Amino acid sequence: MDDLMNMQGQGHVRLGSSAGQALTRRDGILKVTGAATYAADNRPDGLLHAVLATAGIAKGRVTHLDVAAAEAHPGVVKVYTPQTAPRLAVSPDEKIHPFVWRMETLTDDSVRYAGQPIALVLAETLEAATEGARLLAPRYETEAHGVTLDDAEPFETDTTAFGRPAGHSSGDVDAARATAARHVSTTVETSQQYHNAIEPHAITARWEGDRLEIDTPNQAIGLSKQTFAAFLGIDPSQIVLRSPFLGGGFGSKAILYGGQMLAILSARDLGRPVKLVLRRDQMYGPVGHRAPTRQALQIDLDAEGNIAALEHDTVTLTSTFDQFLESASNASHSLYAAPNLRTSHRGRRADVGTPGPMRAPGEAPGSAALEIAMDAAAQAAGMDPLEFRLKNYAESDPSTGMAFSSKGLRECYAEAAKLFGWAERSAAPRSMRQGRLLKGWGMGTAQFPCPMFQAAAHATLRADGSAVIETSAADMGQGAWTALAQIAADGLGIDIDKVEFRSGHSDLPDAGVAGGSGHTATAGTALFNAGADAVRQLAELATNDPASPLFGAGNAGVTARSGRLYRNDDERSEAYEDILARAGLELVRGEGTGAREGEPDRAMFSHGAVFAEVLVDPDLGQVRVSRLIGAFAAGRIVNPRLARSQLLGGMIWGIGMALQEEAVHDTRSGRLTNADLAGYHVPVNADVPMIEALTVHEDDPFVNALGIKGVGEIGVTGTVGAIGNAVWHATGVQPTRFPIHPESLI
Amino acid sequence: MTPTLNLTINGVPQQIALDDPRATLLDVLRERIGLTGTKKGCDRGQCGACTVLIDGRRMNSCLALALSHDGAEITTVEGLADGDQLHPVQAAFIAHDGFQCGYCTPGQIMSAVGLIAEGEAGLDPERVREGMSGNLCRCAAYAGITEAVLDATREIAAGTEKRETA
Amino acid sequence: MNRFEYSRAETLGAAVGAEGALLAGGTNLLDLMKIGVATPERLVDISRLSLDRIEESAGGLRIGAMVRNADIARDPQVLARYPALAEALLSGASAQLRNAATTGGNVMQATRCSYFQDPLSPCNRRAPGSGCGALGGATRNHAVLGWTEGCIAVHPSDMCVALAAYDAVVEITGPEGLREVPMEEFHPLPDAEGSGAAPLAPGEIITHIRLPDPRALARNARYVKLRERTSFAFAIVSAAAALAIEDGVITEARLALGGVAARPWRCRAAEAALKGQPATAASFARAAELATEGARPSGDNAAKIPLAQRIALRALERAAAGTPERLPALPASVFAGDDNG
């Protein structure tokens, strides 16, 4: 275990101790000096570089690979093709759990999508492996393919992503519609999008006998270890998976893919460590994406502007061999007070890689469409967009009738609107200007659920008063190294500077998945409970020891803080070190778990309000988001500095989704025409002139004992719609498709 | 024949037996010398993660053929701090949370050092944003990056002033 | 990328006539090699040729082919006399790329047509006779002027658009001696087969770009560029405009469009229509309409025609308003801030 990544937290700025404090990142110095080690930074002795060859057709089979040419290239050691590739222990289509996609491991010569791995080349240098892959010059037998939403018939489905029900109905939408005063119909399409973490997917794999060491960025270390083991046919205890830092994940690194397996299999086959790093263009195919959606929303209003019925239907795309359906319509379940509510999803299959979870899966495109529909309804009702949303504020979850565990959305609306200056908005489209530019103001409501997963943790108090906390959390930038240590320090009742954090390693207790905006709540709860368990043991030692000033106070009669236990009935206290010394103990070790007990009887969501100002050139159609302000109610904020960064990041993803991001296929070849970062635009610094995210105070005694919700994904929701509505307000052109192109505005 | 490449990297002259003439400066740094602080994001000059200073100018090391830069002085993120003393840009990135996952950060920081040395953006936030737009940050820490660069610009100017008056 | 023989040319004499691909800043050639579009067997490194100066030349400037893009953009003489060139350069690529990319390399850069960039697609420009993969495909970014069924690609340079407007001349040295070509005509338009003549014969090298005396054009010149994001993006359409205005009357006008054709597109009819006219909105509007004379969509890009007219109009209006003392924080952006209050 000496290869564990430990975070002592040297160099972070301590502005106070523990949860609630805006500490700088404990991994800050490592990251600004280049010392933080990402998977591709590993260079074990004897390393071979691996490069994938990927398919250039969307459907058919590979008829020829020039293996001889590749193997003749100096430095090339081995070429694996379907004829020669080492095999998994089980079928590549084995579903050992629901989050397994087909492991594309060169099991046959068929091609199911452009970009699918078709061979693996290993060489002494990266340059040789790269050229070896090119020299394979595949030939194909092609079959007719389809890659877009228009290319296949819809199919009915019972479930969407993560096994959610594909449809919902409450009340009687048809009856309500028959008597409604107004009917507003809106359609919105969203594009196929790619995660584009700046760190490409990478793995370094090394076998020591039958023991496997893997360095790979991963959002679910415990689960992935089990998955690797199952596909390799080995015991999980033989695997060490290290993932101390992820260079961005956004969902794409929660799913294992065949390339990782191939690197491992080839390392075993060749008896040498293997490193495989995807080229940027290979990030557009085998490692997931956000599927396109076509959404139809119907909102029926009564004469006073109350929503009488809300209907939201989504058609989306999945691959021919796996199913992940973007659950966009679910965004309408719990946000606005719709007494009659109906949602549905249908799938289509196309010759594309399997989509997967991408930051706010379902919620992001669903919210984008819902917020446009809400502005359309507000216009029909003759109301201000904010006034309309407040009028239709849901006091309980309309889809279940359950009360919200907490809901600070009114405060979010008020705070963000005030900071933005929403009251000054002129209602008519094209009525605001800045010089020659059109100015538009729009808003959207943000909402994201608060799931919890399963996590376990250890917390060990040591004789010198310091502590070690352990759980296999994943820090992909959200700040787990820092925020989780803050929570743990509170559980232990010690100063965070005394907390050593071991994480990002599969030998540690499983911290669950870093996804669904539930990691801090889940792993944090486990760590807090582990700390509390260690403190409980100390308290038992002390309160039962006649030599202790705490003797007789009882467990419940003492409080832990600053590395001491204090009696609640007088001022006496004792340091942890002294309790352990007198007991002759080197340490006490606490254990804890984090999970939600039973079925929740409350609706649990983070909420927010996002206000956008756009400037639009009236002649040229170029849009710039000149101001973007959000306020969020997300329960207890563990670290305001890091939470703000998460929220801002999500909002800027909203800029990308609203104005820039889309995969463009050549429908004839089935290949993307923009599979690089010059063609697939993500926001740059100059796209973000002014942005702010506030958090409003929210106590939530139901969501979990710590009151933590989540901030990782909610920033995308609300924002896309807010920007779309601002563009609509600026130009008078209602968005029907994201991203909004300049030429659609002139 | 294995060509020999002479580079001064972070002030240290190095002779590198180049096993492959195709190697970019980025792949020499990362795979041959083990200076893995410089990151590869796109390998095509489209993301900025590989930014280093070549003879004092910020450039994409992924599009720099190593052989073409024989004799050059290279500064990477590993060469910025003075022992435990962080470079003002590094310190400002921590203080302003100018990163999340940290992967684009070495490139952002080297780009910021280059931008400040160019002296054209000054304290104009819009010029900083434009000047830093060659460095993608998918976590989108742009607000913090801009604040950090402005702060470091002030800090470096103050330091220079102090040295000049001393 | 493929294996190649690398050599360095220390003198112009060694570079001229050398067999192989010329490597200067590397920002385009290495990229093309990485994606398998360029597969040279020999690489001749010309980056150290002493063509790295900007010199006075008969009232104008002569820019060495190895001068880095960033150094042109910050040159005081360029800023004072050819501000639209500086603005065009600063609107292109990123600071890092501009620090590496050379004048000659910028001129010689390949099209960004995704079909050219994809070795699996047919492309007459890359593989003569294979057909145009773009035609009938994803063509939102393709040409509306000067294209044929053989090729609908556009030239991606911003710099060249400004150079064309300034009547710049490309100085070329080859085994046969020196020759000069106006920037406006340097990049051949595609012939019916889509390939057309190469801009440089084998063994030739661009040594300089010569800019004539701007005379009265110096202070009324701008570049404007429409993009899908605020920075670090190729143009949808762009325009360079330079005007000489005396007592409110246009005595000379230059207008060139980018993103519309396989070369920077000089709008001669528009220029002629402006000469002698008052520097008014009406004059500019008439000229802008003429700017796209002969344009037709090559696919899903009809919107480019009105956009090109409007970007031309904007460039003319901005030029007429006068080049600002300091280039705007967002060079060439529609949000540059100098004409929107």
Side-chain angles (χ1 to χ4, degrees):
Chain A
M1 297 266 288
D2 55 355
D3 55 355
L4 280 182
M5 174 59 77
N6 295 358
M7 198 62 68
Q8 308 278 2
Q10 71 270 65
H12 67 278
V13 178
R14 199 173 68 77
L15 303 174
S17 67
S18 308
Q21 300 300 318
L23 304 193
T24 57
R25 290 172 195 267
R26 298 187 106 206
D27 48 352
I29 287 180
L30 290 178
K31 284 179 173 174
V32 301
T33 57
T37 305
Y38 299 80
D41 297 341
N42 290 286
R43 302 161 63 235
D45 289 341
L47 182 69
L48 285 173
H49 294 268
V51 172
L52 284 173
T54 47
I57 63 166
K59 192 177 185 186
R61 61 183 203 91
V62 180
T63 56
H64 184 258
L65 290 165
D66 196 345
V67 174
E71 286 188 337
H73 190 72
V76 171
V77 170
K78 183 77 187 173
V79 176
Y80 288 117
T81 68
Q83 284 72 46
T84 56
R87 296 283 181 241
L88 296 170
V90 298
S91 157
D93 290 309
E94 189 78 20
K95 300 290 179 248
I96 63 162
H97 59 74
F99 305 110
V100 175
W101 278 219
R102 175 184 166 81
M103 290 297 170
E104 203 60 69
T105 45
L106 313 179
T107 47
D108 60 61
D109 61 8
S110 61
V111 175
R112 298 168 189 81
Y113 61 95
Q116 176 195 305
I118 55 172
L120 184 75
V121 178
L122 294 110
E124 300 289 350
T125 66
L126 178 58
E127 292 78 14
T130 305
E131 178 64 359
R134 191 180 74 87
L135 289 169
L136 288 172
R139 292 202 293 269
Y140 307 98
E141 197 173 275
T142 59
E143 293 172 41
H145 64 260
V147 290
T148 74
L149 268 174
D150 297 315
D151 289 331
E153 288 302 310
F155 66 86
E156 300 298 324
T157 179
D158 293 335
T159 57
T160 58
F162 312 114
R164 295 165 177 159
H168 167 87
S169 180
S170 46
D172 187 337
V173 166
D174 298 323
R177 183 165 299 155
T179 58
R182 294 184 189 84
H183 178 77
V184 181
S185 177
T186 308
T187 60
V188 174
E189 289 189 22
T190 61
S191 65
Q192 182 169 326
Q193 299 168 355
Y194 286 86
H195 304 78
N196 271 314
I198 302 296
E199 177 199 33
H201 282 244
I203 183 167
T204 306
R206 175 171 46 172
W207 290 86
E208 300 274 349
D210 60 0
R211 183 168 178 270
L212 171 63
E213 292 184 24
I214 308 168
D215 293 281
T216 195
N218 192 274
Q219 295 177 232
I221 291 170
L223 185 66
S224 294
K225 177 163 102 166
Q226 304 288 334
T227 312
F228 277 122
F231 279 91
L232 296 167
I234 62 177
D235 192 86
S237 65
Q238 293 169 253
I239 297 180
V240 167
L241 194 171
R242 287 178 294 249
S243 181
F245 302 104
L246 294 83
F250 314 115
S252 72
K253 290 167 183 167
I255 311 292
L256 298 185
Y257 70 102
Q260 290 166 303
M261 298 291 175
L262 282 173
I264 293 167
L265 291 170
S266 56
R268 182 165 65 185
D269 197 42
L270 298 170
R272 291 176 64 177
V274 168
K275 175 155 78 177
L276 170 66
V277 184
L278 295 193
R279 285 198 316 260
R280 176 57 54 181
D281 63 289
Q282 295 174 334
M283 296 284 287
Y284 299 81
V287 291
H289 62 270
R290 194 198 300 282
T293 69
R294 184 171 292 155
Q295 302 177 55
L297 287 99
Q298 322 284 330
I299 297 180
D300 295 279
L301 300 172
D302 70 14
E304 283 76 46
N306 297 302
I307 295 174
L310 170 58
E311 185 167 8
H312 192 159
D313 176 62
T314 297
V315 181
T316 183
L317 212 54
T318 187
S319 68
T320 57
F321 50 94
D322 268 316
Q323 184 159 320
F324 182 93
L325 295 173
E326 196 75 2
S327 52
S329 298
N330 292 15
S332 287
H333 282 174
S334 309
L335 190 46
Y336 298 111
N340 303 289
L341 176 68
R342 187 159 67 208
T343 63
S344 52
H345 296 84
R346 284 163 296 150
R348 297 188 189 214
R349 293 196 182 279
D351 301 303
V352 297
T354 304
M358 176 163 155
R359 200 173 195 172
E363 282 83 2
S367 161
L370 174 60
E371 293 303 318
I372 297 297
M374 285 296 285
D375 262 35
Q379 280 193 25
M383 294 173 70
D384 171 84
L386 175 56
E387 182 193 356
F388 179 69
R389 284 167 176 82
L390 283 167
K391 186 167 188 69
N392 288 286
Y393 194 89
E395 301 293 353
S396 59
D397 183 338
S399 65
T400 62
M402 285 195 281
F404 288 102
S405 61
S406 62
K407 184 175 177 179
L409 179 56
R410 274 189 217 285
E411 293 78 1
C412 293
Y413 284 137
E415 297 262 330
K418 186 172 161 211
L419 183 60
F420 186 85
W422 182 258
E424 304 303 312
R425 182 177 185 264
S426 141
R430 299 182 76 91
S431 62
M432 296 171 75
R433 294 247 171 188
Q434 180 170 315
R436 74 155 69 219
L437 301 173
L438 296 165
K439 182 154 85 179
W441 286 4
M443 64 158 303
T445 312
Q447 189 189 43
F448 199 83
C450 307
M452 282 185 74
F453 309 105
Q454 309 275 337
H458 295 163
T460 304
L461 280 166
R462 297 187 288 210
D464 64 355
S466 70
V468 181
I469 58 168
E470 300 173 300
T471 191
S472 61
D475 194 332
M476 48 186 171
Q478 81 279 33
W481 279 116
T482 308
L484 291 178
Q486 289 177 263
I487 296 168
D490 278 357
L492 286 161
I494 64 173
D495 192 292
I496 191 172
D497 284 345
K498 293 192 170 172
V499 174
E500 178 188 335
F501 189 8
R502 295 180 182 164
S503 183
H505 193 294
S506 64
D507 283 355
L508 300 169
D510 186 5
V513 60
S517 298
H519 197 41
T520 305
T522 308
T525 299
L527 283 164
F528 187 90
N529 289 342
D533 184 41
V535 170
R536 177 190 57 75
Q537 294 172 48
L538 270 189
E540 275 178 17
L541 287 173
T543 57
N544 291 315
D545 180 352
S548 168
L550 308 177
F551 179 68
N555 254 356
V558 294
T559 305
R561 79 176 174 272
S562 305
R564 302 180 73 86
L565 289 175
Y566 289 82
R567 294 184 75 103
N568 293 340
D569 53 358
D570 62 34
E571 287 164 8
R572 284 177 295 165
S573 69
E574 188 169 35
Y576 292 178
E577 298 96 300
D578 296 336
I579 299 169
L580 285 169
R582 215 176 32 253
L585 292 174
E586 286 299 307
L587 52 84
V588 290
R589 195 175 83 151
E591 297 186 357
T593 58
R596 186 170 283 141
E597 309 274 318
E599 279 298 300
D601 57 0
R602 304 239 170 197
M604 299 173 182
F605 293 91
S606 292
H607 288 92
V610 181
F611 291 80
E613 175 184 280
V614 300
L615 298 175
V616 185
D617 189 296
D619 307 313
L620 298 163
Q622 193 173 331
V623 180
R624 193 178 192 210
V625 181
S626 47
R627 293 195 295 141
L628 194 58
I629 291 172
F632 298 89
R636 178 197 294 270
I637 300 301
V638 177
N639 182 321
R641 181 189 306 264
L642 307 191
R644 173 175 177 263
S645 289
Q646 282 276 283
L647 293 166
L648 296 182
M651 291 162 71
I652 294 169
W653 270 54
I655 296 176
M657 187 167 174
L659 301 176
Q660 299 164 349
E661 296 189 34
E662 62 178 327
V664 180
H665 282 98
D666 183 292
T667 54
R668 302 163 306 173
S669 72
R671 291 193 294 277
L672 288 183
T673 64
N674 63 340
D676 63 41
L677 288 168
Y680 183 98
H681 287 162
V682 301
V684 296
N685 200 319
D687 287 318
V688 192
M690 191 276 153
I691 187 163
E692 193 48 85
L694 315 171
T695 50
V696 305
H697 184 84
E698 196 176 60
D699 288 313
D700 193 325
F702 304 103
V703 68
N704 50 57
L706 300 176
I708 295 170
K709 287 181 166 177
V711 292
E713 295 167 272
I714 187 170
V716 189
T717 71
T719 303
V720 183
I723 294 169
N725 287 330
V727 169
W728 186 358
H729 181 237
T731 63
V733 179
Q734 179 177 354
T736 56
R737 186 179 181 282
F738 290 108
I740 300 169
H741 289 166
E743 58 263 41
S744 73
L745 301 177
I746 60 165
Chain B
M1 191 192 79
T2 306
T4 302
L5 185 65
N6 288 285
L7 294 173
T8 300
I9 303 174
N10 298 326
V12 181
Q14 301 210 30
Q15 278 205 341
I16 301 142
L18 197 59
D19 55 346
D20 196 316
R22 291 172 292 189
T24 61
L25 178 59
L26 173 61
D27 289 330
V28 166
L29 292 171
R30 288 184 54 79
E31 305 295 346
R32 272 81 175 177
I33 301 178
L35 284 177
T36 55
T38 306
K39 300 298 186 233
K40 182 183 286 187
C42 72
D43 210 26
R44 296 184 60 194
Q46 299 168 353
C47 78
C50 66
T51 303
V52 298
L53 303 185
I54 302 179
D55 295 326
R57 296 159 68 105
R58 49 177 169 154
M59 294 191 201
N60 304 106
S61 61
C62 72
L63 291 181
L65 189 71
L67 277 174
S68 184
H69 293 276
D70 190 26
E73 288 195 21
I74 311 296
T75 307
T76 72
V77 72
E78 290 95 340
L80 283 187
D82 181 6
D84 287 345
Q85 185 68 39
L86 294 178
H87 186 282
V89 172
Q90 293 173 313
F93 266 68
I94 294 178
H96 292 280
D97 213 30
F99 56 91
Q100 293 182 34
C101 79
Y103 194 83
C104 74
T105 310
Q108 298 277 358
I109 287 174
M110 296 315 296
S111 191
V113 171
L115 172 110
I116 293 168
E118 288 157 15
E120 285 152 2
L123 295 175
D124 179 347
E126 194 82 312
R127 285 179 198 272
V128 169
R129 286 181 204 113
E130 166 68 27
M132 292 297 294
S133 282
N135 293 84
L136 304 184
C137 173
R138 188 55 159 160
C139 301
Y142 294 128
I145 290 166
T146 302
E147 290 162 16
V149 174
L150 290 168
D151 213 21
T153 304
R154 280 186 286 264
E155 179 76 21
I156 288 168
T160 309
E161 212 167 276
K162 211 185 290 173
R163 272 196 302 281
E164 279 170 0
T165 48
Chain C
M1 66 180 72
N2 61 295
R3 280 154 46 97
F4 51 80
E5 274 178 38
Y6 171 86
S7 64
R8 185 181 298 145
E10 304 285 354
T11 64
L12 182 58
V16 171
E19 278 184 39
L22 303 181
L23 174 72
T27 54
N28 191 228
L29 179 58
L30 283 179
D31 185 36
L32 294 173
M33 290 167 70
K34 287 182 183 201
I35 60 176
V37 167
T39 53
E41 291 176 10
R42 292 189 187 80
L43 220 53
V44 180
D45 185 345
I46 57 170
S47 63
R48 300 192 188 199
L49 298 184
S50 52
L51 299 169
D52 56 352
R53 286 187 303 280
I54 301 177
E55 312 158 326
E56 291 290 332
S57 160
L61 290 179
R62 193 164 175 251
I63 301 171
M66 289 305 119
V67 179
R68 309 290 160 156
N69 286 183
D71 294 329
I72 304 174
R74 59 169 69 102
D75 182 87
Q77 288 304 317
V78 171
L79 285 164
R81 292 148 73 186
Y82 309 96
L85 173 58
E87 188 165 24
L89 280 161
L90 292 174
S91 75
S94 66
Q96 290 96 312
L97 290 165
R98 296 193 294 269
N99 273 339
T102 62
T103 318
N106 189 317
V107 172
M108 290 302 295
Q109 71 181 298
T111 177
R112 306 297 303 194
C113 170
S114 62
Y115 299 88
F116 171 84
Q117 300 243 338
D118 169 18
L120 298 177
S121 291
C123 173
N124 288 323
R125 187 174 281 266
R126 176 170 33 74
S130 61
C132 173
L135 208 62
T139 49
R140 194 170 154 237
N141 299 320
H142 285 79
V144 292
L145 282 160
W147 58 271
T148 68
E149 301 280 320
C151 179
I152 61 172
V154 302
H155 196 260
S157 170
D158 295 298
M159 180 188 81
C160 292
V161 179
L163 287 175
Y166 281 122
D167 273 345
V169 171
V170 184
E171 296 183 8
I172 299 161
T173 302
E176 312 295 313
L178 308 180
R179 70 183 177 100
E180 296 185 351
V181 183
M183 184 75 248
E184 179 188 354
E185 295 166 10
F186 178 82
H187 300 97
L189 290 174
D191 57 20
E193 283 73 46
S195 38
L200 291 182
E204 283 190 326
I205 177 172
I206 297 174
T207 59
H208 300 86
I209 301 292
R210 202 174 66 241
L211 284 158
D213 188 340
R215 299 186 310 275
L217 296 169
R219 294 316 299 170
N220 289 91
R222 292 298 301 272
Y223 186 72
V224 193
K225 178 177 177 182
L226 175 64
R227 282 165 278 193
E228 284 187 340
R229 62 183 175 193
T230 310
S231 182
F232 203 11
F234 290 98
I236 300 171
V237 290
S238 66
L243 299 169
I245 304 171
E246 278 175 39
D247 302 326
V249 174
I250 299 163
T251 57
E252 190 177 1
R254 306 284 179 79
L255 182 65
L257 292 171
V260 295
R263 64 164 51 146
W265 194 265
R266 258 307 268 281
C267 310
R268 296 282 180 178
E271 291 175 5
L274 284 166
K275 195 162 180 174
Q277 296 300 306
T280 60
S283 303
F284 298 139
R286 261 195 316 277
E289 276 182 39
L290 293 170
T292 56
E293 205 173 39
R296 61 198 170 101
S298 58
D300 193 17
N301 58 358
K304 264 194 167 182
I305 297 169
L307 286 174
Q309 293 174 356
R310 291 168 186 203
I311 203 103
L313 176 59
R314 186 66 53 83
L316 289 167
E317 288 172 345
R318 283 189 178 180
T323 310
E325 279 306 303
R326 190 179 180 203
L327 288 181
L330 300 176
S333 171
V334 301
F335 304 108
D338 48 340
D339 60 356
N340 56 44

